[in-house]
Amino acid sequence: MNTDDVISTLNNLIKTSIDGEQGFSISAENVSDPELKATLSERAHRCAEGARELQEQVRRLGGDPSMGGSASGAMHRTWTNVKAAITGKDDRAIMEEVERGEDVAVESYKKALNTDLPEDIRAIVERQYQGVRENHDQMRQIRDRLRGAS
């Protein structure tokens, strides 16, 4: 994989991370449960850290890192806000959207890991992928718990 392809792959992951940060932040603003609000805020912070780490790698490779999320991520956040308004900021409905967003993040990282990345960058992407999987699994567990509570 040439440097431009690596930069492109990393920029896609940066957009995914920024989408995650913004999605978790918006969701944290809309949920009512204080513990859930704290969990989502912490996840937003972790996504921001991941984006910054990837941006550093793009700069190291001589590229210009993405500084914003994707168009599809923006649409998903808008939908999450609309759904929160319609459902009266129902925590379960919000968590269903969070988990759906994490499905996209998992797939983005899987796609990146199926490319021929340099070993040092692959190690970063693999470590971040494990964090994305943890986010996904935790969000699914919370969603399932809230489904059972209704």
Side-chain angles (χ1 to χ4, degrees):
M1 181 174 255
N2 70 43
T3 302
D4 288 342
D5 291 337
V6 173
I7 290 170
S8 176
T9 297
L10 292 176
N11 274 331
N12 286 334
L13 293 178
I14 291 166
K15 289 176 186 178
T16 297
S17 296
I18 292 170
D19 287 344
E21 174 193 8
Q22 294 171 346
F24 280 128
S25 292
I26 287 169
S27 297
E29 292 170 9
N30 285 302
V31 295
S32 59
D33 180 84
E35 186 177 324
L36 183 53
K37 189 178 292 286
T39 297
L40 293 170
S41 293
E42 188 270 331
R43 293 298 189 227
H45 178 72
R46 284 179 55 187
C47 288
E49 288 175 347
R52 281 191 294 275
E53 182 178 31
L54 296 172
Q55 288 166 336
E56 288 172 16
Q57 293 304 310
V58 169
R59 284 186 198 96
R60 185 179 66 79
L61 293 169
D64 293 321
S66 292
M67 301 307 284
S70 68
S72 61
M75 289 182 352
H76 186 255
R77 289 187 298 280
T78 300
W79 171 242
T80 300
N81 279 335
V82 168
K83 191 168 188 176
I86 291 170
T87 63
K89 297 192 176 188
D90 175 64
D91 289 358
R92 181 178 56 91
I94 292 167
M95 290 309 298
E96 287 173 355
E97 291 307 313
V98 168
E99 202 255 336
R100 193 178 341 268
E102 287 305 285
D103 287 342
V104 173
V106 166
E107 289 307 311
S108 293
Y109 273 83
K110 282 182 182 178
K111 182 178 177 184
L113 287 170
N114 284 327
T115 64
D116 185 28
L117 295 171
E119 285 306 311
D120 59 332
I121 292 175
R122 175 172 294 285
I124 293 168
V125 173
E126 285 178 353
R127 181 176 38 76
Q128 286 192 4
Y129 172 67
Q130 293 308 314
V132 169
R133 291 292 313 254
E134 288 172 19
N135 283 349
H136 178 271
D137 293 348
Q138 183 181 26
M139 296 307 111
R140 178 182 289 153
Q141 289 170 356
I142 292 168
R143 182 210 61 198
D144 290 347
R145 185 189 68 209
L146 290 170
R147 280 182 177 170
S150 341

mmCIF file with all atom_site columns, all heavy atoms in Angstrom, residues 91-104:
data_model
loop_
_atom_site.group_PDB
_atom_site.id
_atom_site.type_symbol
_atom_site.label_atom_id
_atom_site.label_alt_id
_atom_site.label_comp_id
_atom_site.label_asym_id
_atom_site.label_entity_id
_atom_site.label_seq_id
_atom_site.pdbx_PDB_ins_code
_atom_site.Cartn_x
_atom_site.Cartn_y
_atom_site.Cartn_z
_atom_site.occupancy
_atom_site.B_iso_or_equiv
_atom_site.pdbx_formal_charge
_atom_site.auth_seq_id
_atom_site.auth_comp_id
_atom_site.auth_asym_id
_atom_site.auth_atom_id
_atom_site.pdbx_PDB_model_num
ATOM 1   N N   . ASP A 1 91  ? -34.233 7.020  26.596 1.00 0.00 ? 91  ASP A N   1
ATOM 2   C CA  . ASP A 1 91  ? -32.883 6.471  26.645 1.00 0.00 ? 91  ASP A CA  1
ATOM 3   C C   . ASP A 1 91  ? -32.737 5.223  25.777 1.00 0.00 ? 91  ASP A C   1
ATOM 4   O O   . ASP A 1 91  ? -31.730 5.052  25.096 1.00 0.00 ? 91  ASP A O   1
ATOM 5   C CB  . ASP A 1 91  ? -32.480 6.151  28.084 1.00 0.00 ? 91  ASP A CB  1
ATOM 6   C CG  . ASP A 1 91  ? -32.232 7.390  28.928 1.00 0.00 ? 91  ASP A CG  1
ATOM 7   O OD1 . ASP A 1 91  ? -32.340 8.517  28.398 1.00 0.00 ? 91  ASP A OD1 1
ATOM 8   O OD2 . ASP A 1 91  ? -31.936 7.228  30.129 1.00 0.00 ? 91  ASP A OD2 1
ATOM 9   N N   . ARG A 1 92  ? -33.734 4.363  25.779 1.00 0.00 ? 92  ARG A N   1
ATOM 10  C CA  . ARG A 1 92  ? -33.661 3.131  24.985 1.00 0.00 ? 92  ARG A CA  1
ATOM 11  C C   . ARG A 1 92  ? -33.574 3.447  23.498 1.00 0.00 ? 92  ARG A C   1
ATOM 12  O O   . ARG A 1 92  ? -32.732 2.889  22.781 1.00 0.00 ? 92  ARG A O   1
ATOM 13  C CB  . ARG A 1 92  ? -34.865 2.233  25.257 1.00 0.00 ? 92  ARG A CB  1
ATOM 14  C CG  . ARG A 1 92  ? -34.818 0.921  24.478 1.00 0.00 ? 92  ARG A CG  1
ATOM 15  C CD  . ARG A 1 92  ? -36.010 0.043  24.809 1.00 0.00 ? 92  ARG A CD  1
ATOM 16  N NE  . ARG A 1 92  ? -37.281 0.698  24.595 1.00 0.00 ? 92  ARG A NE  1
ATOM 17  C CZ  . ARG A 1 92  ? -37.968 0.655  23.452 1.00 0.00 ? 92  ARG A CZ  1
ATOM 18  N NH1 . ARG A 1 92  ? -37.501 -0.009 22.430 1.00 0.00 ? 92  ARG A NH1 1
ATOM 19  N NH2 . ARG A 1 92  ? -39.119 1.272  23.342 1.00 0.00 ? 92  ARG A NH2 1
ATOM 20  N N   . ALA A 1 93  ? -34.385 4.356  23.020 1.00 0.00 ? 93  ALA A N   1
ATOM 21  C CA  . ALA A 1 93  ? -34.372 4.719  21.596 1.00 0.00 ? 93  ALA A CA  1
ATOM 22  C C   . ALA A 1 93  ? -33.031 5.357  21.216 1.00 0.00 ? 93  ALA A C   1
ATOM 23  O O   . ALA A 1 93  ? -32.481 5.073  20.146 1.00 0.00 ? 93  ALA A O   1
ATOM 24  C CB  . ALA A 1 93  ? -35.526 5.677  21.284 1.00 0.00 ? 93  ALA A CB  1
ATOM 25  N N   . ILE A 1 94  ? -32.502 6.178  22.094 1.00 0.00 ? 94  ILE A N   1
ATOM 26  C CA  . ILE A 1 94  ? -31.212 6.812  21.828 1.00 0.00 ? 94  ILE A CA  1
ATOM 27  C C   . ILE A 1 94  ? -30.121 5.750  21.767 1.00 0.00 ? 94  ILE A C   1
ATOM 28  O O   . ILE A 1 94  ? -29.267 5.763  20.876 1.00 0.00 ? 94  ILE A O   1
ATOM 29  C CB  . ILE A 1 94  ? -30.907 7.890  22.881 1.00 0.00 ? 94  ILE A CB  1
ATOM 30  C CG1 . ILE A 1 94  ? -31.897 9.062  22.721 1.00 0.00 ? 94  ILE A CG1 1
ATOM 31  C CG2 . ILE A 1 94  ? -29.462 8.375  22.773 1.00 0.00 ? 94  ILE A CG2 1
ATOM 32  C CD1 . ILE A 1 94  ? -31.913 10.039 23.863 1.00 0.00 ? 94  ILE A CD1 1
ATOM 33  N N   . MET A 1 95  ? -30.145 4.809  22.699 1.00 0.00 ? 95  MET A N   1
ATOM 34  C CA  . MET A 1 95  ? -29.123 3.766  22.721 1.00 0.00 ? 95  MET A CA  1
ATOM 35  C C   . MET A 1 95  ? -29.213 2.846  21.503 1.00 0.00 ? 95  MET A C   1
ATOM 36  O O   . MET A 1 95  ? -28.192 2.328  21.044 1.00 0.00 ? 95  MET A O   1
ATOM 37  C CB  . MET A 1 95  ? -29.201 2.958  24.018 1.00 0.00 ? 95  MET A CB  1
ATOM 38  C CG  . MET A 1 95  ? -28.748 3.745  25.232 1.00 0.00 ? 95  MET A CG  1
ATOM 39  S SD  . MET A 1 95  ? -27.135 4.553  25.036 1.00 0.00 ? 95  MET A SD  1
ATOM 40  C CE  . MET A 1 95  ? -26.071 3.143  24.786 1.00 0.00 ? 95  MET A CE  1
ATOM 41  N N   . GLU A 1 96  ? -30.393 2.672  20.964 1.00 0.00 ? 96  GLU A N   1
ATOM 42  C CA  . GLU A 1 96  ? -30.513 1.899  19.720 1.00 0.00 ? 96  GLU A CA  1
ATOM 43  C C   . GLU A 1 96  ? -29.757 2.594  18.597 1.00 0.00 ? 96  GLU A C   1
ATOM 44  O O   . GLU A 1 96  ? -29.072 1.953  17.801 1.00 0.00 ? 96  GLU A O   1
ATOM 45  C CB  . GLU A 1 96  ? -31.984 1.694  19.360 1.00 0.00 ? 96  GLU A CB  1
ATOM 46  C CG  . GLU A 1 96  ? -32.656 0.680  20.266 1.00 0.00 ? 96  GLU A CG  1
ATOM 47  C CD  . GLU A 1 96  ? -34.155 0.563  20.062 1.00 0.00 ? 96  GLU A CD  1
ATOM 48  O OE1 . GLU A 1 96  ? -34.734 1.338  19.270 1.00 0.00 ? 96  GLU A OE1 1
ATOM 49  O OE2 . GLU A 1 96  ? -34.752 -0.314 20.718 1.00 0.00 ? 96  GLU A OE2 1
ATOM 50  N N   . GLU A 1 97  ? -29.845 3.920  18.550 1.00 0.00 ? 97  GLU A N   1
ATOM 51  C CA  . GLU A 1 97  ? -29.119 4.668  17.526 1.00 0.00 ? 97  GLU A CA  1
ATOM 52  C C   . GLU A 1 97  ? -27.614 4.667  17.794 1.00 0.00 ? 97  GLU A C   1
ATOM 53  O O   . GLU A 1 97  ? -26.818 4.577  16.864 1.00 0.00 ? 97  GLU A O   1
ATOM 54  C CB  . GLU A 1 97  ? -29.644 6.109  17.439 1.00 0.00 ? 97  GLU A CB  1
ATOM 55  C CG  . GLU A 1 97  ? -31.045 6.199  16.870 1.00 0.00 ? 97  GLU A CG  1
ATOM 56  C CD  . GLU A 1 97  ? -31.188 5.489  15.539 1.00 0.00 ? 97  GLU A CD  1
ATOM 57  O OE1 . GLU A 1 97  ? -30.330 5.673  14.645 1.00 0.00 ? 97  GLU A OE1 1
ATOM 58  O OE2 . GLU A 1 97  ? -32.158 4.731  15.372 1.00 0.00 ? 97  GLU A OE2 1
ATOM 59  N N   . VAL A 1 98  ? -27.223 4.752  19.060 1.00 0.00 ? 98  VAL A N   1
ATOM 60  C CA  . VAL A 1 98  ? -25.798 4.693  19.401 1.00 0.00 ? 98  VAL A CA  1
ATOM 61  C C   . VAL A 1 98  ? -25.225 3.356  18.942 1.00 0.00 ? 98  VAL A C   1
ATOM 62  O O   . VAL A 1 98  ? -24.161 3.311  18.323 1.00 0.00 ? 98  VAL A O   1
ATOM 63  C CB  . VAL A 1 98  ? -25.588 4.891  20.923 1.00 0.00 ? 98  VAL A CB  1
ATOM 64  C CG1 . VAL A 1 98  ? -24.163 4.542  21.330 1.00 0.00 ? 98  VAL A CG1 1
ATOM 65  C CG2 . VAL A 1 98  ? -25.917 6.319  21.322 1.00 0.00 ? 98  VAL A CG2 1
ATOM 66  N N   . GLU A 1 99  ? -25.915 2.286  19.233 1.00 0.00 ? 99  GLU A N   1
ATOM 67  C CA  . GLU A 1 99  ? -25.424 0.959  18.854 1.00 0.00 ? 99  GLU A CA  1
ATOM 68  C C   . GLU A 1 99  ? -25.345 0.823  17.334 1.00 0.00 ? 99  GLU A C   1
ATOM 69  O O   . GLU A 1 99  ? -24.404 0.256  16.797 1.00 0.00 ? 99  GLU A O   1
ATOM 70  C CB  . GLU A 1 99  ? -26.309 -0.128 19.457 1.00 0.00 ? 99  GLU A CB  1
ATOM 71  C CG  . GLU A 1 99  ? -25.615 -1.456 19.567 1.00 0.00 ? 99  GLU A CG  1
ATOM 72  C CD  . GLU A 1 99  ? -26.059 -2.462 18.538 1.00 0.00 ? 99  GLU A CD  1
ATOM 73  O OE1 . GLU A 1 99  ? -27.176 -2.329 18.027 1.00 0.00 ? 99  GLU A OE1 1
ATOM 74  O OE2 . GLU A 1 99  ? -25.267 -3.372 18.253 1.00 0.00 ? 99  GLU A OE2 1
ATOM 75  N N   . ARG A 1 100 ? -26.289 1.405  16.637 1.00 0.00 ? 100 ARG A N   1
ATOM 76  C CA  . ARG A 1 100 ? -26.258 1.383  15.170 1.00 0.00 ? 100 ARG A CA  1
ATOM 77  C C   . ARG A 1 100 ? -25.023 2.138  14.655 1.00 0.00 ? 100 ARG A C   1
ATOM 78  O O   . ARG A 1 100 ? -24.336 1.687  13.738 1.00 0.00 ? 100 ARG A O   1
ATOM 79  C CB  . ARG A 1 100 ? -27.543 2.002  14.609 1.00 0.00 ? 100 ARG A CB  1
ATOM 80  C CG  . ARG A 1 100 ? -27.743 1.761  13.140 1.00 0.00 ? 100 ARG A CG  1
ATOM 81  C CD  . ARG A 1 100 ? -29.043 2.326  12.571 1.00 0.00 ? 100 ARG A CD  1
ATOM 82  N NE  . ARG A 1 100 ? -30.100 2.647  13.491 1.00 0.00 ? 100 ARG A NE  1
ATOM 83  C CZ  . ARG A 1 100 ? -31.096 1.816  13.850 1.00 0.00 ? 100 ARG A CZ  1
ATOM 84  N NH1 . ARG A 1 100 ? -31.127 0.600  13.360 1.00 0.00 ? 100 ARG A NH1 1
ATOM 85  N NH2 . ARG A 1 100 ? -32.029 2.214  14.681 1.00 0.00 ? 100 ARG A NH2 1
ATOM 86  N N   . GLY A 1 101 ? -24.710 3.263  15.270 1.00 0.00 ? 101 GLY A N   1
ATOM 87  C CA  . GLY A 1 101 ? -23.513 4.012  14.898 1.00 0.00 ? 101 GLY A CA  1
ATOM 88  C C   . GLY A 1 101 ? -22.243 3.221  15.163 1.00 0.00 ? 101 GLY A C   1
ATOM 89  O O   . GLY A 1 101 ? -21.290 3.267  14.379 1.00 0.00 ? 101 GLY A O   1
ATOM 90  N N   . GLU A 1 102 ? -22.227 2.475  16.252 1.00 0.00 ? 102 GLU A N   1
ATOM 91  C CA  . GLU A 1 102 ? -21.061 1.657  16.568 1.00 0.00 ? 102 GLU A CA  1
ATOM 92  C C   . GLU A 1 102 ? -20.907 0.488  15.597 1.00 0.00 ? 102 GLU A C   1
ATOM 93  O O   . GLU A 1 102 ? -19.791 0.049  15.329 1.00 0.00 ? 102 GLU A O   1
ATOM 94  C CB  . GLU A 1 102 ? -21.120 1.169  18.018 1.00 0.00 ? 102 GLU A CB  1
ATOM 95  C CG  . GLU A 1 102 ? -20.840 2.275  19.017 1.00 0.00 ? 102 GLU A CG  1
ATOM 96  C CD  . GLU A 1 102 ? -19.514 2.967  18.746 1.00 0.00 ? 102 GLU A CD  1
ATOM 97  O OE1 . GLU A 1 102 ? -18.455 2.387  19.037 1.00 0.00 ? 102 GLU A OE1 1
ATOM 98  O OE2 . GLU A 1 102 ? -19.544 4.099  18.222 1.00 0.00 ? 102 GLU A OE2 1
ATOM 99  N N   . ASP A 1 103 ? -22.011 0.006  15.039 1.00 0.00 ? 103 ASP A N   1
ATOM 100 C CA  . ASP A 1 103 ? -21.925 -1.014 13.982 1.00 0.00 ? 103 ASP A CA  1
ATOM 101 C C   . ASP A 1 103 ? -21.100 -0.482 12.810 1.00 0.00 ? 103 ASP A C   1
ATOM 102 O O   . ASP A 1 103 ? -20.252 -1.186 12.254 1.00 0.00 ? 103 ASP A O   1
ATOM 103 C CB  . ASP A 1 103 ? -23.321 -1.397 13.458 1.00 0.00 ? 103 ASP A CB  1
ATOM 104 C CG  . ASP A 1 103 ? -24.126 -2.252 14.425 1.00 0.00 ? 103 ASP A CG  1
ATOM 105 O OD1 . ASP A 1 103 ? -23.529 -2.842 15.346 1.00 0.00 ? 103 ASP A OD1 1
ATOM 106 O OD2 . ASP A 1 103 ? -25.360 -2.315 14.253 1.00 0.00 ? 103 ASP A OD2 1
ATOM 107 N N   . VAL A 1 104 ? -21.356 0.762  12.439 1.00 0.00 ? 104 VAL A N   1
ATOM 108 C CA  . VAL A 1 104 ? -20.634 1.397  11.330 1.00 0.00 ? 104 VAL A CA  1
ATOM 109 C C   . VAL A 1 104 ? -19.151 1.533  11.673 1.00 0.00 ? 104 VAL A C   1
ATOM 110 O O   . VAL A 1 104 ? -18.285 1.251  10.844 1.00 0.00 ? 104 VAL A O   1
ATOM 111 C CB  . VAL A 1 104 ? -21.252 2.779  10.996 1.00 0.00 ? 104 VAL A CB  1
ATOM 112 C CG1 . VAL A 1 104 ? -20.410 3.532  9.977  1.00 0.00 ? 104 VAL A CG1 1
ATOM 113 C CG2 . VAL A 1 104 ? -22.680 2.604  10.484 1.00 0.00 ? 104 VAL A CG2 1
#
